[in-house]
Amino acid sequence: MKKLLVANWKMNPSSEAEAVRLAKASDERGVVVCPPFTFLSQVKNALKTADLGAQDVFWENPIPGGAFTGEVSISMLKKIGVSHVIIGHSERRKHLIESDEMVNKKLRTALAFDLKVILCVGESLSVRKEGIPAAKSFVKKQLARDLVGIENLKTQLKNLVVTYEPIWAISAGLGTGHPDKPEDAVEMIKFIRELLTKPYWPNPKVIYGGSVTSSNVARIFEYHEIEGALVGGASLKAEEFKKIIRITSQVK
Ligand code: PGA
């Protein structure tokens, strides 16, 4: 597949059997399946070609371990076959009060230890209501804070994917369920790519997230600048996600 599809299961599904069933339905090259921690091993065993991602990781990575109650380290994730990690999702920023500084520490440690990072950035509805220039200004500042110091990680930058995920476009929770218009999303994505290209690396990978479904994915991927999608709700329905994979794999 030319495009990257990241399946963010969030705090789902409710059983191991369902996790395994979903994993098998999502098992395509170019897909990264991100279950909750409790199903990582079972999903790993079910996957033959898709990659395995975690939804978060801690910023300290002492080996063999450390006094960090409730946290999971990069080494622990890698040991069970995790290759990717989502960092800075808006739900964590909001509900867990995850700051840009925390996001930055996680991102730098994950990259330094060779995990592939899917960083999420995006503005709230109130910012977007002020218009695209306000959204650009918000994302520019957020990215600058999240990426402090990454110029020192040059060789690992190929492992960083930035997801433009406007918070309001998410299908549940903090979102409205309305996807961004592809023409607006692509404008933001081009802007993000420009911001990253000069100071950081030549070919930054930038994808879109927010209410991606089988009905809109073809339209979104008409833009070659949108190099993939982070899919939440629609990745929890096996048939729907298979459709998304099928449509995506036809993109030239
Ligand atoms: P959604 O979620 O596809 O359900 O909008 C995307 C996400 O929040 O990762």
Side-chain angles (χ1 to χ4, degrees):
M1 259 185 340
K2 214 172 157 200
K3 309 274 184 184
L4 176 72
L5 285 178
V6 182
N8 177 15
W9 291 359
K10 308 192 180 185
M11 204 168 69
N12 300 285
S14 53
S15 72
E16 180 182 330
E18 179 57 10
V20 168
R21 194 178 76 84
L22 261 180
K24 288 184 174 158
S26 315
D27 195 15
E28 281 292 329
R29 199 171 301 281
V31 174
V32 184
V33 181
C34 304
F37 289 133
T38 50
F39 296 138
L40 281 169
S41 291
Q42 295 90 328
V43 167
K44 176 68 190 166
N45 291 336
L47 295 176
K48 292 199 177 72
T49 52
D51 288 322
L52 183 66
Q55 296 173 21
D56 186 36
V57 72
F58 192 50
W59 60 74
E60 295 281 348
N61 192 34
I63 298 167
F68 300 104
T69 302
E71 294 300 334
V72 174
S73 74
I74 293 161
S75 308
M76 288 168 167
L77 293 178
K78 288 181 81 168
K79 218 172 264 173
I80 54 170
V82 169
S83 55
H84 292 65
V85 62
I86 298 172
I87 293 180
H89 193 281
S90 55
E91 287 152 13
R92 295 196 59 81
R93 292 182 193 259
K94 165 92 178 163
H95 300 305
L96 283 299
I97 325 292
E98 209 164 280
S99 65
D100 288 311
E101 195 190 348
M102 291 158 81
V103 168
N104 176 254
K105 284 203 262 184
K106 290 179 180 193
L107 179 139
R108 284 203 287 177
T109 319
L111 287 176
F113 285 91
D114 285 326
L115 268 187
K116 295 189 167 71
V117 171
I118 299 151
L119 169 69
C120 299
V121 295
E123 79 287 352
S124 65
L125 187 59
S126 61
V127 170
R128 183 57 169 265
K129 277 185 172 158
E130 291 170 34
I132 298 256
K136 284 183 178 169
S137 154
F138 177 88
V139 167
K140 184 177 178 179
K141 287 187 199 131
Q142 190 178 38
L143 266 177
R145 291 189 299 258
D146 291 352
L147 298 181
V148 167
I150 68 152
E151 57 282 3
N152 302 323
L153 291 167
K154 281 219 164 67
T155 56
Q156 286 101 341
L157 285 182
K158 60 177 185 323
N159 288 339
L160 176 57
V161 174
V162 175
T163 308
Y164 170 58
E165 182 162 82
I167 301 170
W168 52 270
I170 295 174
S171 72
L174 306 173
T176 60
H178 298 296
D180 198 1
K181 285 196 225 116
E183 56 273 30
D184 289 346
V186 80
E187 184 175 342
M188 291 298 294
I189 282 174
K190 281 190 203 164
F191 173 73
I192 290 170
R193 187 169 291 111
E194 265 164 37
L195 283 178
L196 300 172
T197 300
K198 280 210 189 97
Y200 300 122
W201 71 105
N203 291 307
K205 201 176 186 66
V206 191
I207 67 174
Y208 167 77
S211 295
V212 175
T213 65
S214 63
S215 325
N216 59 24
V217 69
R219 176 90 182 81
I220 291 167
F221 286 161
E222 272 173 23
Y223 292 95
H224 69 90
E225 293 91 346
I226 306 180
E227 294 177 280
L230 178 63
V231 187
S235 71
L236 293 170
K237 300 175 207 138
E239 283 315 307
E240 167 69 358
F241 197 57
K242 273 190 188 173
K243 246 196 217 173
I244 293 177
I245 294 174
R246 209 178 314 128
I247 296 167
T248 304
S249 56
Q250 285 159 7
V251 176
K252 300 235 168 41

